[in-house]
Amino acid sequence: MAETLDKGGKRFLCSCRFAFIIVAFFGAMNAYAQRVNMSVAIVCMTDTSNVSSSENCIQSIAGVENNNYTCENETMSKQDDRFDWDKKTQGIILGSFFLGYVLSQIPGGWFAGKYGGKLLYGWSMFLCATATLLTPLAARTSVVLLIVMRAIAGICQGVMLPCLHTLLSFWIPPLQRSTSVGFVYSGTQLGVMAAFPLCGFLCVDGFDGGWPSIFYVLGSVGVIWFCTWMFVVSDTPVSHPRISESEKEYIIDRLKSELDINKKSSSCTPWSTIFTSLPVWAIIVTNTCAEWGTTTFLTNIPSYMKDVLHFDIQKAGFLASLPYLGFWIVANISANFADFLMKRGYISTTTARKIFNSIGSILPALLIVLLGTVADDSVIAVTMLTFGLAMSGCMYGSGFVVNPVDIAPRYAGIILAISNTTGSFCSFFTPFVIGIITEDKTQEQWKTVFYITAAVYTFGAIIFVMFGSGELQHWARDEKEEREIVVMDEKAKVEVKKVVGE
């Protein structure tokens, strides 16, 4: 991480904030694994093309040959668990998560800023894990109940990023910010990377018919993570029962220029100022554009691999994970490099955010255009897909995602909640739109999807360069500090008048 030693000799790797970062990383990883599990599972849930007659008692799942089941009851059970959903229905199922996700963003950000993020995030993820465990039962009951269950999971996960941003603003000093935030949020993509091959394997060889085991395994992991989170994490260093005095003093000293760490919240949230701030709008627009691009691949890579590149679900699951491995690597490298440049004084925070955010937007846009051009060559297509999504990690490691903590640490959760809300609307509509565009599953239809995504990425990059900032905004200061600044300004004016009068 950014600094090896705390003030007073406390090693970072043994610190409470390092423990928080690690648990938050695995929480983000598990959350995104639960988010994308349906993307792989739905391919198995709707694949009835390889079901043979009960007379032979043989069934091949997801295009995998020689996967024979000799028990008639088991075969019929697996056959019964395949659903005849058209592409539009599948799009609604995939998008229902994001419909729920959008509802809890702003309330979650406000609640976390006012009362702390530990309990809200912890219990929300526990409920999300419970909804994941109940998903197979819901699917077997009715498609409507399945949609409701996915929406509930989305509502629970909607508070994740606002809560984490709030907690990070109270725990992480400025010059460790890119590294720490980048590492925590890279867990989201590592979760996707792990989920695709795991879900592909469980889809074919899992228990209870294959695809249900996806939800049982990931839901159980979520419950285990919840227990760890509740024990390890506290809302602030001041309220942590096991933190050392040296680490607590170190964090308070590093953050004192930005916020009073002894307070969880301000007396009121400056909503009007937030909504009229150009740096805030730069984050909102960029987040929305990034979500469009990320969701395009997050929920549709397995279908693209199957429809255009003609891979079976196990092979598609492995290949679909490659871009997220690249994302994880790039996000962490760019975060560490950004902190290094800022600590050495080579670039300002504003410059760092704009440079890395632009790299994370423009390069994926160019590579996605190439992907649409050579989509008929599977090797080149997978290469472009991997590098394109990997380079977008710069945005998350040291771009717009870290930016709310720069410009308004006390309201970072609220700002990210607002920007993520608009982004979540894209996340909801994107699978539905792609389902309509790719109705016939042709290469040309997928090219259209990629070109639209490239244009959206580019627009977000331009807006952030024009209006983004890395400076602490005047309206984001604590009330006490703001009053002190006003008093100092008044004293300065009085002195000037005296000098002029003399």
Side-chain angles (χ1 to χ4, degrees):
M1 289 294 174
E3 292 186 28
T4 305
L5 297 176
D6 284 350
K7 183 179 179 180
K10 178 69 176 179
R11 292 191 175 276
F12 177 74
L13 295 181
C14 299
S15 65
C16 288
R17 69 183 184 283
F18 179 73
F20 157 62
I21 289 169
I22 294 298
V23 177
F25 167 82
F26 281 107
M29 184 176 175
N30 179 253
Y32 266 61
Q34 292 184 60
R35 179 180 300 198
V36 303
N37 53 17
M38 182 60 72
S39 301
V40 178
I42 201 169
V43 177
C44 291
M45 295 168 74
T46 58
D47 188 0
T48 59
S49 59
N50 294 307
V51 180
S52 65
S53 64
S54 59
E55 184 178 290
N56 295 323
C57 200
I58 296 176
Q59 180 173 353
S60 175
I61 300 177
V64 178
E65 297 180 359
N66 299 323
N67 191 2
N68 299 333
Y69 297 83
T70 57
C71 174
E72 181 175 355
N73 290 334
E74 184 178 0
T75 299
M76 295 305 293
S77 174
K78 289 179 180 288
Q79 182 175 354
D80 291 341
D81 274 352
R82 301 298 180 267
F83 305 98
D84 186 20
W85 297 327
D86 58 26
K87 290 289 289 184
K88 291 182 180 179
T89 301
Q90 293 178 45
I92 294 173
I93 293 171
L94 292 172
S96 60
F97 177 97
F98 299 101
L99 177 61
Y101 186 74
V102 74
L103 296 177
S104 57
Q105 292 280 316
I106 295 177
W110 177 85
F111 190 94
K114 192 74 175 175
Y115 302 106
K118 173 189 173 178
L119 293 179
L120 177 61
Y121 181 37
W123 282 106
S124 293
M125 292 308 299
F126 176 78
L127 292 176
C128 179
T130 302
T132 300
L133 290 168
L134 293 175
T135 296
L137 176 62
R140 288 164 171 164
T141 302
S142 74
V143 67
V144 174
L145 186 59
L146 173 62
I147 291 171
V148 170
M149 198 60 60
R150 290 296 293 172
I152 291 174
I155 290 173
C156 294
Q157 283 205 22
V159 306
M160 181 183 76
L161 297 183
C163 285
L164 284 179
H165 250 56
T166 299
L167 290 167
L168 286 163
S169 69
F170 279 96
W171 276 94
I172 308 302
L175 293 181
Q176 295 178 347
R177 194 163 284 160
S178 295
T179 306
S180 300
V181 175
F183 178 75
V184 169
Y185 288 146
S186 69
T188 62
Q189 307 308 318
L190 200 62
V192 176
M193 185 198 77
F196 276 135
L198 175 64
C199 293
F201 169 78
L202 293 174
C203 229
V204 178
D205 297 318
F207 55 91
D208 192 25
W211 64 263
S213 62
I214 294 173
F215 302 100
Y216 296 143
V217 170
L218 294 179
S220 298
V221 172
V223 173
I224 295 172
W225 175 87
F226 162 76
C227 297
T228 306
W229 172 266
M230 297 300 287
F231 175 75
V232 171
V233 176
S234 292
D235 284 314
T236 68
V238 174
S239 63
H240 199 292
R242 294 175 298 278
I243 193 171
S244 67
E245 284 299 319
S246 61
E247 183 184 6
K248 182 165 63 176
E249 291 173 3
Y250 170 81
I251 298 173
I252 292 174
D253 181 67
R254 292 299 186 276
L255 293 177
K256 65 183 180 182
S257 64
E258 296 185 350
L259 76 166
D260 183 357
I261 202 171
N262 292 288
K263 297 191 303 180
K264 283 188 179 180
S265 66
S266 300
S267 57
C268 61
T269 301
W271 293 105
S272 60
T273 310
I274 289 175
F275 278 109
T276 54
S277 170
L278 286 178
V280 170
W281 276 104
I283 295 172
I284 293 173
V285 173
T286 308
N287 195 346
T288 303
C289 295
E291 282 293 322
W292 178 282
T294 303
T295 305
T296 296
F297 300 112
L298 191 66
T299 60
N300 291 278
I301 283 179
S303 297
Y304 171 70
M305 296 289 189
K306 181 174 180 288
D307 295 346
V308 177
L309 304 182
H310 306 296
F311 293 131
D312 64 61
I313 187 60
Q314 280 189 317
K315 190 173 183 181
F318 171 73
L319 291 173
S321 69
L322 291 179
Y324 298 97
L325 174 61
F327 183 104
W328 181 75
I329 294 172
V330 170
N332 282 285
I333 290 177
S334 66
N336 279 275
F337 190 46
D339 276 349
F340 169 79
L341 293 175
M342 289 186 289
K343 284 166 63 175
R344 293 298 181 92
Y346 295 144
I347 58 176
S348 66
T349 302
T350 299
T351 302
R353 299 295 176 244
K354 291 184 177 182
I355 289 176
F356 286 98
N357 195 80
S358 297
I359 294 173
S361 300
I362 300 300
L363 283 182
L366 294 174
L367 291 169
I368 289 168
V369 170
L370 290 176
L371 175 62
T373 304
V374 298
D376 54 337
D377 187 316
S378 59
V379 176
I380 298 178
V382 171
T383 302
M384 293 299 100
L385 182 64
T386 299
F387 280 101
L389 194 55
M391 292 311 300
S392 68
C394 289
M395 288 192 291
Y396 293 79
S398 48
F400 79 89
V401 173
V402 191
N403 200 217
V405 188
D406 296 322
I407 66 172
R410 184 165 294 283
Y411 307 109
I414 293 174
I415 293 171
L416 191 69
I418 295 169
S419 66
N420 229 31
T421 296
T422 58
S424 297
F425 280 113
C426 281
S427 299
F428 173 68
F429 287 109
T430 299
F432 183 70
V433 171
I434 292 176
I436 295 175
I437 295 175
T438 61
E439 183 71 30
D440 299 323
K441 307 178 183 180
T442 66
Q443 176 180 322
E444 291 301 319
Q445 290 174 342
W446 277 101
K447 284 184 179 180
T448 301
V449 171
F450 295 144
Y451 294 153
I452 292 173
T453 303
V456 172
Y457 266 138
T458 303
F459 178 73
I462 293 172
I463 294 298
F464 195 81
V465 168
M466 292 176 62
F467 303 111
S469 174
E471 303 302 319
L472 178 66
Q473 302 297 294
H474 69 88
W475 48 265
R477 301 181 187 275
D478 282 319
E479 297 93 329
K480 180 181 178 181
E481 181 181 356
E482 189 65 27
R483 286 196 300 269
E484 290 176 351
I485 293 175
V486 172
V487 171
M488 292 175 61
D489 287 343
E490 291 298 328
K491 289 182 178 179
K493 291 178 181 178
V494 171
E495 293 297 325
V496 170
K497 288 180 180 179
K498 286 182 179 180
V499 173
V500 173
E502 292 176 357

